[in-house]
Amino acid sequence: MDNSLLVSLSSQLAAYRSMDVIANNLANASTPAFKRESVKFEEMVTQVTPSEGQIGPQNVSFVKDTGVLRDLTQGSLETTNAPFDVAISGKGYMVIQTPQGNRYTRNGHFSLDPNGQLVTSDGQPVLGDGGAITITPDDGDVHIAADGTVSGKNGDIGKLQLVDFPDERAMTKIGASLYSTTQAPVTSEDGSFQQGMLESSNVQPVLEISHMIEIMRAYETTATLTSSQEDLQRQSIDKLGAMPN
């Protein structure tokens, strides 16, 4: 395949990957504590044999997808007044128990399961310092303090864990709001809990749509160049075929 077509193809694949990530951002614009993502690209330069009229090896530049960057900026805190909704102000993650082991989240949209356990929207237990937190009807109105202490009319029920990690960007995203990591968690010193609130997504739909339009235009430009190159090749073949033997 001609080098110009290969370069165009790499650009089109990069645009496709960017569109995929932007679409995921927009789909999660209303997901609590969702963090915006963007694709990281690098230039990959390779040498090819010179064409007619060129001297020495020629450099050709391609686009290489090297991963996804996560924007860790905190979203705004929105009041819900739901007694089991909890937002984190500052750094840190809550600990969730899953069949695959402990996972971590900033999405504090919690509720009680039939057994009175505090769980996520997927039914996974939220862990406190002593394990799962169970709330009974006898506890009455529940209060969650800034340090995570959960209390009712009969006293303390448990305490939500708030942990942090040396490298948040190294955490692996699972679904829209859970994260896994091999790093050892440490107690967060810079975060606090806000009951009756949720952290909103940090996605800004208007900006995402603007980026999408830019990428679509770049894709269309590359597609036009590819089409023009193919037309030139077709015309050259037709002219060669029309020449007398």
Side-chain angles (χ1 to χ4, degrees):
M1 183 180 292
D2 187 85
N3 288 327
S4 61
L5 294 179
L6 289 174
V7 171
S8 296
L9 178 60
S10 72
S11 298
Q12 289 174 327
L13 289 174
Y16 179 85
R17 175 65 172 140
S18 296
M19 290 289 284
D20 189 42
V21 172
I22 290 175
N24 186 60
N25 288 340
L26 290 171
N28 287 282
S30 59
T31 300
F34 179 84
K35 302 302 179 185
R36 176 186 178 273
E37 295 180 330
S38 59
V39 185
K40 179 182 179 182
F41 295 108
E42 290 182 357
E43 181 183 25
M44 184 178 69
V45 180
T46 185
Q47 289 189 334
V48 298
T49 56
S51 302
E52 184 178 353
Q54 295 178 328
I55 301 175
Q58 301 297 304
N59 291 333
V60 178
S61 177
F62 297 93
V63 181
K64 182 181 180 182
D65 174 4
T66 59
V68 175
L69 298 177
R70 188 180 305 124
D71 180 1
L72 298 177
T73 304
Q74 178 175 307
S76 60
L77 302 187
E78 299 181 351
T79 301
T80 65
N81 292 321
F84 301 117
D85 279 352
V86 183
I88 297 174
S89 176
K91 298 187 66 176
Y93 295 83
M94 291 168 279
V95 185
I96 309 299
Q97 185 181 53
T98 74
Q100 293 75 35
N102 288 353
R103 298 293 184 261
Y104 308 94
T105 189
R106 289 180 62 91
N107 182 353
H109 184 44
F110 302 143
S111 60
L112 298 183
D113 69 5
N115 297 319
Q117 280 192 341
L118 189 66
V119 296
T120 67
S121 55
D122 295 327
Q124 298 167 330
V126 182
L127 294 182
D129 287 345
I133 297 175
T134 302
I135 299 171
T136 68
D138 295 335
D139 291 318
D141 291 337
V142 173
H143 175 69
I144 301 175
D147 67 352
T149 299
V150 182
S151 59
K153 68 179 182 180
N154 297 319
D156 291 350
I157 300 170
K159 185 177 181 181
L160 293 172
Q161 295 187 53
L162 184 61
V163 300
D164 201 3
F165 302 92
D167 186 2
E168 291 182 71
R169 297 188 185 280
M171 300 174 72
T172 302
K173 189 174 74 169
I174 302 172
S177 58
L178 285 182
Y179 298 89
S180 68
T181 182
T182 57
Q183 303 174 74
V186 296
T187 301
S188 174
E189 303 293 341
D190 302 318
S192 62
F193 293 102
Q194 302 290 328
Q195 184 181 15
M197 305 185 78
L198 288 176
E199 178 187 354
S200 65
S201 165
N202 65 1
V203 173
Q204 300 183 51
V206 173
L207 292 180
E208 296 298 320
I209 292 173
S210 297
H211 293 153
M212 181 178 288
I213 293 172
E214 291 175 1
I215 293 169
M216 288 178 63
R217 287 174 176 170
Y219 181 91
E220 290 171 354
T221 299
T222 305
T224 300
L225 291 174
T226 300
S227 179
S228 299
Q229 181 69 16
E230 291 175 345
D231 289 340
L232 288 173
Q233 289 182 341
R234 190 178 302 109
Q235 292 172 15
S236 297
I237 294 171
D238 291 341
K239 289 180 179 180
L240 287 173
M243 293 180 64
N245 296 329

